[in-house]
Amino acid sequence: MTTWNVAAAQYAPRPDDVAANVSHHLKFIATAAREQIDVLLFPEFSLTGFHSPDSCLVSPDSTLFAPITLAAQQHKMTIIAGLSLPAPGGMMSAGLIFLPDGTRQLCLQNTAQHICEINGLPVLQDKLIGTGSQRIALSVSRSLPEDLWAQKEASLYMCGRFISELSWTAEVVDMQHCAFENHVAVLQVNHAVAPDNQTAVGRSACWDEQGQLIVRAEAGELLVVARRKDNGWHGEVIPLR
């Protein structure tokens, strides 16, 4: 039976400490490796924190991220983490993709600028990674209707961003609708805590191609795992170890 294992890392970023966040990512990655995860998604700003000062803006090609690059190679895992990048008028959210071959790519939130690369790292223009039946459409920071075309070429849509208690119900409806209308499974990862680092949020979840809930977590730091087998999707929640 062929199995494809994907996971959402429901994660609480360490504020203003990139090195600490890298180390904390490695704990999630180690747990994911024990579960034989192929693709691991962290929420936005997982590496830099929600409100990163200029001192915490790190180049995506930084050697600080070398341990995650090595982990992706060692475990043959695609790892998508979140960080802040400078942008006109402020900052933008980006996904830093660590591939099993040791290379890195970037996926940016929607921007009017056409950006091909940043610090030598290629920027995904179509927000698609993988091939064949393991093709993934990525959304950074938010999912907008104009991005959804990409899902028609993918079998999984992955989105990692902060969702508040107030917006959770509406987001669930959107994710179910997205799955059903595009006939694509959806993996949504949320932060384990709100930006004030006090309010628990969580509830990361996965829906199948018909919009049926596969698995949903509650609060806390953990992995939401979805496994696609020949007979469909199956889910489980794995505590961080």
Side-chain angles (χ1 to χ4, degrees):
M1 180 176 288
T2 302
T3 304
W4 187 34
N5 302 318
V6 299
Q10 189 165 286
Y11 175 93
R14 278 50 184 159
D16 307 335
D17 194 336
V18 175
N21 280 318
V22 169
S23 295
H24 199 43
H25 276 63
L26 295 176
K27 295 178 183 178
F28 279 86
I29 294 166
T31 298
R34 287 191 287 268
E35 297 297 324
Q36 299 182 309
I37 298 302
D38 300 301
V39 185
L40 177 61
L41 175 68
F42 287 85
E44 64 174 333
F45 306 128
S46 62
L47 288 166
T48 50
F50 289 104
H51 304 296
S52 304
D54 291 343
S55 60
C56 286
L57 292 179
V58 180
S59 172
D61 65 342
S62 170
T63 57
L64 276 175
F65 303 135
I68 301 179
T69 298
L70 292 174
Q73 289 180 285
Q74 178 184 353
H75 302 303
K76 296 180 173 60
M77 186 188 305
T78 298
I79 301 165
I80 305 153
L83 77 165
S84 302
L85 291 177
M91 297 182 297
M92 65 178 168
S93 178
L96 181 54
I97 306 166
F98 300 86
L99 296 171
D101 64 2
T103 61
R104 303 178 199 175
Q105 296 177 338
L106 284 166
C107 183
L108 307 181
Q109 72 179 57
N110 292 341
T111 174
Q113 295 177 301
H114 182 75
I115 304 173
C116 293
E117 68 173 44
I118 296 177
N119 294 100
L121 298 188
V123 174
L124 293 179
Q125 299 303 311
D126 55 10
K127 300 186 179 180
L128 291 168
I129 61 172
T131 58
S133 64
Q134 297 184 355
R135 197 163 174 85
I136 299 170
L138 295 177
S139 177
V140 177
S141 179
R142 58 178 179 247
S143 53
L144 295 178
E146 54 264 35
D147 285 338
L148 300 188
W149 67 269
Q151 297 166 29
K152 298 183 183 300
E153 301 180 35
S155 56
L156 178 66
Y157 174 55
M158 302 180 84
C159 181
R161 69 186 187 94
F162 171 66
I163 302 173
S164 70
E165 291 282 354
L166 290 176
S167 64
W168 177 254
T169 300
E171 290 285 344
V172 168
V173 172
D174 285 346
M175 292 298 101
Q176 289 178 314
H177 179 75
C178 167
F180 181 78
E181 286 295 313
N182 294 279
H183 196 66
V184 60
V186 173
L187 181 66
Q188 168 76 62
V189 62
N190 197 14
H191 285 271
V193 296
D196 58 13
N197 283 329
Q198 295 178 1
T199 308
V201 183
R203 300 181 196 163
S204 301
C206 187
W207 295 265
D208 69 12
E209 295 88 348
Q210 285 74 46
Q212 299 296 313
L213 182 67
I214 300 167
V215 60
R216 186 180 73 188
E218 293 303 324
E221 291 196 311
L222 44 79
L223 290 181
V224 173
V225 175
R227 306 184 192 275
R228 188 185 66 191
K229 302 182 180 181
D230 294 341
N231 61 347
W233 288 93
H234 305 270
E236 56 192 303
V237 176
I238 307 294
L240 184 62
R241 294 177 287 172

